[in-house]
Amino acid sequence: MLSNHLQNGMETAKLMWSRLPNNEDGDGDDDVVGFLRKNDGSRVESLDYEVIENYAYREEQAIKPEGTGLAAVLINISVENFAGWKYSLTFSIIQKSYVAGFIVYVLINLALVFSSVYIITQFAPAAAGSGIPEIKGYLNGIDTHGILFFRTLIGKIFGSIGSVGGGLALGKEGPLVHIGACIASLLGQGGSRKYHLSSRWLQVFKSDRDRRDLVTCGCAAGVAAAFRAPVGGVLFALEEVTSWWRSQLMWRVFFTSAIVAVVVRTAMGWCKSGNCGHFGSGGFIIWDISGLESELSLNPVYGSSFFIVCWPSNQSSFSGQEDYSFRELFPMAVIGVIGGLLGALFNQLTLFITRWRRNYLHRKGNRVKIIEVCLISVITSVISFGLPLFRNCSPCPESDASSGIECPNAPGVYGNYVNFYCGRDKEYNDLATIFFNTQDDAIRNLFSAKTIHEFSAKSLLTFLVMFYTLAVVTFGTAVPAGQFVPGIMIGSTYGRLVGMFVVNFYQKLNIEEGTYALLGAASFLGGSMRMTVSLCVIMVEITNNLKLLPLIMLVLLISKAVGDAFNEGLYEEQAQLRGIPLLESRPKYQMRKMTAKEACGSQKVIYFPRTIKVADIVSILRSNSHNGFPVIDHSRSGETLVIGLVLRSHLLVLLQSKADFQHSPLPSDLRGRSLPIRHSLSEFVKPASSKGISIDDIHLSSDDLEMYIDLAPFVNPSPYVVPEDMSLTKVYNLFRQLGLRHVLVVPRASRVIGMITRKDLLIEDNEDSATVELQSTSVRARHRDRRVPMRNPDAQHPLLDGL
C-alpha cells in the first residue's frame, strides 16, 4: 500500500514538472536573470491604476493574509534546521579531524547553495535578488513580466531556504517582502489557473488598482513576518515601496500586518513544544536589550534563525545600557557618518559589479551563473571556517553569576565565547564567535551586553573587511538575496568597534558596546537603503526599548544625509539598472520650462472613430504597440468630440469574444439601453500571472473582419485631460499622484460651463440621496434639512464663503 502511494506521488511530481516550461509562457531565456533586455523600458508595461468608468463598470456598480506568515515560518524553520544539522554534524566531526569537518562543512553549504541557484536558473528566473526593486516598480505603475508568478513564489521560498541555509552573505528579509506580494497577488486573482490551483470565491481583483492595494498589503505583511513588527511593516510600505497612498489603504495594510503577527506568534507557540526541530522557541524578535525573559532554554543549540539576540532564561533581570550622556552624542554621530559612507560605497560597488555581471558574465548562460554561485559558496565556507583557525584564543573573563553568561561555550552551543580550535578549556575564539556561526547568532553576540572586551579590534576589523567584501560580491548573483541581515552584520561590527573606543576613552562602566553595535546596524541600513521612519520604528519594535529612539533617529538622519551626497538608495540604483522607469517624488528641474504640448513632440495621435470596422482595429493594433487610443465622434453640427479613451487590452477582449460584432456601422443607443450586457468587469482584468491576450492569439475570419464594433460602451468617458500650455512639472505631479497611465493633451478650452469648489463636494447624505464619500459634520449639524447644491456657484457655506 505504501509503495503504491509513493509511486503515485512520484508520477504526479514528474507530471507537474513536465508541465513547467523553462520560462513562463514560453518566453526565451533572458539575457540576465532578474534584468530587462534594455534600459529603455521595452520589456515592461505600465499599469492602469485609473478606474475605467465604461459601460461594464457602471453596470456592475449598479448591481453590486495568513499566507505570508506561514511562508515566513516555513522558511525560517527550514533554514534553522538545515543550519542546525550542518553545524551539529560538522562539530561532531571536527572533534576527530578538522580536515574532515572542513570538507563536510563545505560540501553541505555547496549542496544547499546549488539547490538554490538551480531552482532560480531553471525554474524561476524572476525570483533572483531581493525582488524589492521590482515590487517598488510595480507599485509605481510598472508591470515587469514574471515578478508575481506562482513559479516565482515557489522559487523565492525554496531558493531562500537554500541560499540562506548555505551560509551565503545575504538575508531572507528582502525576499519575504517579494513573497508577501506574490501571495497577495495570487490570492486576489483566485490562485493560478495555469497550475489548476484557482478558486473563484477568492477573486477580488476588479482592476489594476485593486491589485496594487493588495500587493501593498502583501509587502507590509512580508516585513511584519520578517521582524514581527506590524507597525514597521505599514510604514515600510508607505515610505519605501508604494508611490500612491490612500487613507482607506492604511487600515487594510495595518490589519494585514496584525494578522501576520498573530499567525507568526501562534506558530512560535507551537514550536515551543519541540515540534520544529532545531528551530528554537525564542520568537521572531531580532534582539532584546530590555531585559525581557527569553524562552530559549528549551533548545540551547542554535535557537532560532528568526531572532538574533535573546537572552538566556536566567537573565530576565538583566538590562543593557538604558541611558546616555551628552558626551556620547559625538561618537554616535560618527557612527552615522561611517554608516553613510560605507552604505554609499556599498551601493556603488554593487552597482558596478552587477553591471559587469550583466554585460559580460551572465551573458554566457545559466551554466556560468551556477558556477559563479557555487564558487562564491566555497570561498565563503573557506573564509568562515579557516580564518578562526589562524586566530589565537583568548582567556575567558572572570565569571559573573549575575550575568548568566558562561565561558567558554562548546562549538554549536547557543551563546558567547565559543571554544573553537583552542588548546585550553578556559579559552575562547572571538573570531569564531562571529565568523563560524549563523548570521543571526553572530549578530546576537555582537549586540550582547555585559561582554566588554569579548572581541578584539583586530578580529572585528578582519570580520568587517571580509564580510563586507563577501556581501558586495554575493549581492546580484542568481539566488534570492536580501540585504537587511548583512547590513545589520556590517553595521553592528563597526558600531561595536566605536563602542570599544568610547568605553576606553570615557572609562564609564554604564556604557555598553552592544548599544553602539545596534546604532551601527541602523546607520548602515540608513546609509545604504536610505530609509528613516520605517527603519526607526522597526528598530524600536524589535528592541522593545523606547529610550533608544532619539539615538536611532540621530544616526539614521546623519547616515541618510551623508549617503545622499554620493548616490541614490540601494533599491533605486538597482531599479535603474534593471530598466524600471520609476517616477520619483520630484520632477526634474528642466520640466519647469516645458509645456505639455512640447512633451508630446511631433508624434501623431492614433485615434479611433466611435464605430469602426474590425479589420481597421486589427490593422492598427498590429502596426503599433500603443496601449491607449482616444475615441472620437461627430456632433450634429459636425464638430469633432473626444468621447473617451479605449485601452488596447479591452480591444483585444472584444476581438476575441466577437460578441459585440455588428453588421451595421451605425452606433448603438446607450440612453435607450438597447445594448445588452455581454461582458462583466472581470473579463477586462488582466491576470497578474500572464501577459494577457496578444493580437497574435486572436484568429478572425474574413467575415469577421468586415464586421463593425461600437466602442462607446467600452471607453473611459472621463479620462484626465490637460491644456496644451500646462507646465510639464504640473503634469508630472498630476500623473504621479493620481497613478495615471494616459493623459490627453487638448487645446485651451474656449469657454467655462461651471466651477466646482470645496463646498460643492460637501453634500448632505439623506434618505433620498446616494451615499457619498465626502461629508461635513458641521454642515450636517446646522443644515440637517437642507442639501447643498452640487453645481450652484451661488450656494453659500458658513465655513467656506468665497472658496
Side-chain angles (χ1 to χ4, degrees):
M1 178 69 69
L2 180 61
S3 61
N4 293 336
H5 284 294
L6 180 61
Q7 183 177 2
N8 294 335
M10 294 179 63
E11 292 178 356
T12 303
K14 292 180 180 179
L15 179 61
M16 291 296 294
W17 182 267
S18 64
R19 292 181 179 179
L20 300 178
N22 291 333
N23 286 294
E24 195 77 20
D25 294 338
D27 285 351
D29 291 337
D30 291 337
D31 295 337
V32 183
V33 171
F35 287 90
L36 305 176
R37 187 164 298 172
K38 296 180 181 179
N39 281 336
D40 57 1
S42 58
R43 288 287 305 277
V44 300
E45 183 178 338
S46 297
L47 295 165
D48 296 290
Y49 287 158
E50 180 187 358
V51 177
I52 309 300
E53 297 179 346
N54 55 19
Y55 186 78
Y57 172 83
R58 294 181 177 180
E59 289 296 324
E60 182 154 327
Q61 292 297 310
I63 61 176
K64 271 197 150 185
E66 297 80 354
T68 305
L70 295 178
V73 172
L74 171 63
I75 292 175
N76 283 271
I77 290 178
S78 302
V79 168
E80 188 57 33
N81 276 282
F82 279 126
W85 295 330
K86 174 181 65 177
Y87 284 106
S88 297
L89 180 60
T90 303
F91 292 144
S92 62
I93 295 177
I94 62 176
Q95 303 300 325
K96 302 177 180 179
S97 172
Y98 274 92
V99 176
F102 168 74
I103 295 175
V104 171
Y105 178 74
V106 172
L107 291 179
I108 293 177
N109 284 338
L110 187 62
L112 291 172
V113 171
F114 176 79
S115 66
S116 175
V117 67
Y118 186 83
I119 290 173
I120 298 302
T121 55
Q122 305 297 325
F123 180 69
S130 68
I132 293 181
E134 289 79 6
I135 297 300
K136 186 174 182 177
Y138 182 90
L139 296 178
N140 193 261
I142 301 299
D143 187 11
T144 305
H145 180 63
I147 62 171
L148 298 176
F149 286 167
F150 177 73
R151 64 189 304 117
T152 302
L153 171 63
I154 299 300
K156 206 77 175 183
I157 293 176
F158 291 98
S160 298
I161 293 174
S163 61
V164 178
L168 294 180
L170 45 84
K172 56 189 174 296
E173 284 71 19
L176 274 174
V177 176
H178 193 180
I179 290 172
C182 290
I183 292 176
S185 176
L186 290 170
L187 289 179
Q189 68 180 12
S192 176
R193 297 180 182 178
K194 181 174 183 178
Y195 303 112
H196 307 290
L197 300 172
S198 60
S199 176
R200 289 187 176 182
W201 67 272
L202 285 175
Q203 295 178 4
V204 297
F205 286 158
K206 301 300 182 182
S207 63
D208 284 336
R209 175 180 290 188
D210 296 333
R211 183 180 292 119
R212 177 194 68 185
D213 293 348
L214 204 56
V215 168
T216 303
C217 295
C219 293
V223 176
F227 297 104
R228 212 187 75 179
V231 179
V234 174
L235 294 178
F236 176 84
L238 172 61
E239 179 183 13
E240 185 61 25
V241 294
T242 189
S243 299
W244 304 287
W245 193 264
R246 298 183 298 150
S247 59
Q248 301 95 326
L249 188 60
M250 177 69 76
W251 73 267
R252 297 175 184 174
V253 173
F254 185 77
F255 176 79
T256 305
S257 300
I259 291 297
V260 170
V262 171
V263 172
V264 167
R265 188 65 185 176
T266 302
M268 289 163 45
W270 183 72
C271 289
K272 290 180 181 179
S273 58
N275 297 320
C276 302
H278 286 273
F279 182 79
S281 57
F284 283 42
I285 282 186
I286 301 300
W287 62 86
D288 186 357
I289 66 172
S290 63
L292 296 180
E293 182 175 356
S294 174
E295 300 161 344
L296 184 64
S297 56
L298 291 178
N299 188 2
V301 180
Y302 280 92
S304 173
S305 159
F306 250 86
F307 60 98
I308 298 172
V309 172
C310 283
W311 308 107
S313 58
N314 60 351
Q315 204 172 335
S316 60
S317 61
F318 168 76
S319 61
Q321 179 178 345
E322 295 185 355
D323 200 1
Y324 53 92
S325 65
F326 179 79
R327 290 180 293 176
E328 293 183 66
L329 295 181
F330 177 74
M332 292 175 180
V334 172
I335 291 179
V337 174
I338 296 175
L341 294 175
L342 292 182
L345 178 62
F346 182 87
N347 294 356
Q348 200 64 34
L349 291 176
T350 54
L351 183 66
F352 173 78
I353 295 178
T354 307
R355 184 180 290 114
W356 175 79
R357 279 195 180 102
R358 173 190 179 186
N359 296 332
Y360 300 101
L361 189 61
H362 285 178
R363 288 185 178 274
K364 299 180 181 180
N366 290 335
R367 180 177 298 180
V368 175
K369 300 172 187 176
I370 295 176
I371 294 175
E372 176 198 19
V373 177
C374 292
L375 181 62
I376 293 176
S377 173
V378 173
I379 295 174
T380 304
S381 301
V382 170
I383 291 177
S384 62
F385 191 100
L387 281 184
L389 298 178
F390 295 97
R391 176 63 181 165
N392 295 328
C393 293
S394 303
C396 289
E398 296 182 2
S399 60
D400 185 3
S402 62
S403 66
I405 299 177
E406 298 180 359
C407 180
N409 279 314
V413 176
Y414 184 90
N416 300 72
Y417 303 108
V418 174
N419 187 324
F420 182 79
Y421 201 64
C422 295
R424 302 178 181 179
D425 293 337
K426 286 297 182 178
E427 290 184 339
Y428 72 98
N429 191 317
D430 61 342
L431 194 56
T433 303
I434 52 177
F435 230 136
F436 190 50
N437 219 331
T438 62
Q439 295 179 14
D440 300 342
D441 288 331
I443 299 175
R444 170 188 60 82
N445 295 332
L446 289 170
F447 284 161
S448 61
K450 300 298 182 182
T451 56
I452 295 179
H453 307 306
E454 176 184 2
F455 304 100
S456 65
K458 184 178 180 180
S459 296
L460 290 177
L461 283 174
T462 302
F463 178 81
L464 176 62
V465 173
M466 298 306 300
F467 191 83
Y468 190 95
T469 305
L470 289 174
V472 169
V473 174
T474 307
F475 188 80
T477 55
V479 292
Q483 283 306 113
F484 276 98
V485 168
I488 295 175
M489 288 279 289
I490 295 170
S492 58
T493 304
Y494 67 75
R496 182 109 185 179
L497 271 171
V498 175
M500 293 173 57
F501 290 112
V502 174
V503 170
N504 294 330
F505 183 80
Y506 288 114
Q507 297 293 325
K508 293 181 61 177
L509 297 178
N510 62 338
I511 296 179
E512 288 292 347
E513 297 175 1
T515 302
Y516 285 81
L518 185 149
L519 298 178
S523 69
F524 185 83
L525 293 178
S528 176
M529 301 178 184
R530 313 293 159 80
M531 295 187 298
T532 53
V533 178
S534 58
L535 185 58
C536 183
V537 173
I538 290 175
M539 289 288 184
V540 171
E541 283 191 279
I542 58 185
T543 57
N544 291 331
N545 194 333
L546 285 175
K547 293 182 179 180
L548 296 178
L549 179 61
L551 304 181
I552 297 175
M553 295 173 63
L554 174 66
V555 297
L556 283 176
L557 292 175
I558 294 177
S559 62
K560 174 177 169 53
V562 173
D564 286 339
F566 294 94
N567 50 35
E568 296 183 1
L570 177 66
Y571 300 136
E572 288 77 10
E573 295 276 3
Q574 295 297 320
Q576 292 180 6
L577 186 61
R578 285 163 168 79
I580 302 175
L582 294 178
L583 290 180
E584 301 297 336
S585 58
R586 294 183 179 181
K588 300 296 182 181
Y589 179 79
Q590 296 84 347
M591 293 183 179
R592 297 181 180 181
K593 300 180 180 180
M594 298 178 62
T595 63
K597 184 177 181 180
E598 293 173 348
C600 295
S602 59
Q603 62 179 353
K604 185 179 180 180
V605 180
I606 301 175
Y607 59 87
F608 289 157
R610 172 177 173 174
T611 305
I612 184 174
K613 185 180 290 188
V614 174
D616 295 336
I617 297 179
V618 174
S619 176
I620 293 176
L621 294 182
R622 290 186 182 277
S623 62
N624 66 84
S625 58
H626 295 177
N627 291 285
F629 305 91
V631 179
I632 65 171
D633 198 4
H634 297 281
S635 63
R636 295 181 180 179
S637 61
E639 182 182 2
T640 300
L641 301 176
V642 178
I643 64 172
L645 182 75
V646 64
L647 299 181
R648 183 187 189 92
S649 58
H650 291 187
L651 292 173
L652 293 173
V653 171
L654 299 178
L655 293 178
Q656 187 182 55
S657 67
K658 304 179 183 180
D660 299 278
F661 290 2
Q662 61 185 38
H663 295 279
S664 172
L666 299 177
S668 303
D669 183 13
L670 293 183
R671 293 183 179 179
R673 302 284 181 176
S674 62
L675 182 66
I677 302 176
R678 302 188 181 96
H679 301 278
S680 63
L681 187 61
S682 59
E683 296 181 43
F684 295 101
V685 178
K686 184 188 75 171
S689 58
S690 69
K691 288 183 176 180
I693 307 173
S694 172
I695 187 63
D696 298 326
D697 300 331
I698 298 175
H699 303 284
L700 300 172
S701 64
S702 57
D703 293 337
D704 294 333
L705 296 175
E706 296 300 322
M707 303 286 280
Y708 292 86
I709 297 181
D710 183 6
L711 300 178
F714 310 103
V715 302
N716 181 7
S718 55
Y720 286 90
V721 297
V722 298
E724 58 183 348
D725 56 351
M726 177 181 285
S727 68
L728 193 57
T729 299
K730 200 170 183 178
V731 176
Y732 184 96
N733 293 329
L734 177 70
F735 201 94
R736 188 183 187 278
Q737 292 174 7
L738 296 179
L740 304 180
R741 185 176 184 179
H742 307 96
V743 171
L744 303 184
V745 180
V746 299
R748 170 64 64 177
S750 59
R751 61 191 181 94
V752 178
I753 64 172
M755 180 180 296
I756 295 179
T757 62
R758 182 184 294 268
K759 67 175 180 293
D760 299 313
L761 302 177
L762 300 174
I763 63 178
E764 289 293 334
D765 184 18
N766 51 40
E767 297 180 357
D768 299 329
S769 61
T771 302
V772 294
E773 295 183 0
L774 297 177
Q775 298 175 357
S776 172
T777 55
S778 60
V779 174
R780 217 172 190 180
R782 300 186 182 187
H783 306 278
R784 186 171 303 275
D785 299 326
R786 181 170 63 89
R787 176 177 176 179
V788 179
M790 189 64 181
R791 289 185 178 269
N792 185 1
D794 297 328
Q796 298 297 319
H797 189 283
L799 300 179
L800 299 174
D801 254 355
L803 293 183

